[in-house]
């Protein structure tokens, strides 16, 4: 059985939330995390629990999920969201080498 699509009101609420609370940045160093207390979904679900999917901590059966919010963020800002690395920037060889030496 296919998943139920979120309501149009929930999708519109996500768009409005992102336009108000997330500022675009020119720097590649600024990332939006997928999960955690600083992710757009976390803020959205705290402000609009009535538009958040029940399985993701909200109160709506036809609300938007965490993955749905992440897809909307990707479409609005033309950039995929990244999960922050646990040990610094994954592309930074100096941090990786320092971490291995610290062991």
């Amino acid at each position: 059985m296919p998943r139920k699509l979120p309501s149009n009101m929930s999708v519109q609420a996500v768009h409005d939330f992102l336009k108000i609370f997330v500022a675009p940045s020119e720097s590649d160093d600024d990332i939006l995390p997928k999960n955690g207390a600083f992710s757009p979904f976390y803020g959205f679900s705290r402000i609009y629990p009535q538009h958040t999917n029940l399985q993701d901590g909200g109160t709506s059966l036809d609300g938007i999920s965490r993955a749905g919010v992440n897809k909307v963020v990707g479409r609005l800002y033309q950039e995929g969201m990244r999960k922050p690395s646990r040990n610094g920037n994954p592309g930074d060889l100096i941090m990786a080498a320092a971490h291995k030496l610290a062991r």
Side-chain angles (χ1 to χ4, degrees), residues 3-103:
R3 290 184 178 164
K4 187 175 182 182
L5 293 174
S7 70
N8 290 337
M9 284 180 29
S10 295
V11 175
Q12 185 60 46
V14 170
H15 278 278
D16 295 342
F17 172 82
L18 293 173
K19 291 290 185 181
I20 293 169
F21 289 104
V22 178
S25 174
E26 298 297 324
S27 174
D28 289 337
D29 294 333
D30 297 334
I31 65 169
L32 286 171
K34 280 184 171 182
N35 304 322
F38 299 108
S39 70
F41 177 79
Y42 183 83
F44 177 77
S45 66
R46 296 305 175 259
I47 293 174
Y48 295 111
Q50 69 274 19
H51 292 297
T52 306
N53 194 337
L54 193 61
Q55 294 173 340
D56 288 322
T59 59
S60 177
L61 292 175
D62 62 345
I64 195 160
S65 66
R66 178 183 306 274
V69 171
N70 291 344
K71 285 181 185 179
V72 172
V73 169
R75 273 191 253 129
L76 279 179
Y77 298 104
Q78 288 85 33
E79 181 178 325
M81 297 175 67
R82 294 177 272 179
K83 191 171 185 178
S85 174
R86 189 180 69 172
N87 300 322
N89 185 353
D92 190 359
L93 297 176
I94 296 170
M95 281 295 292
H99 177 69
K100 288 183 179 183
L101 289 175
R103 289 184 183 182

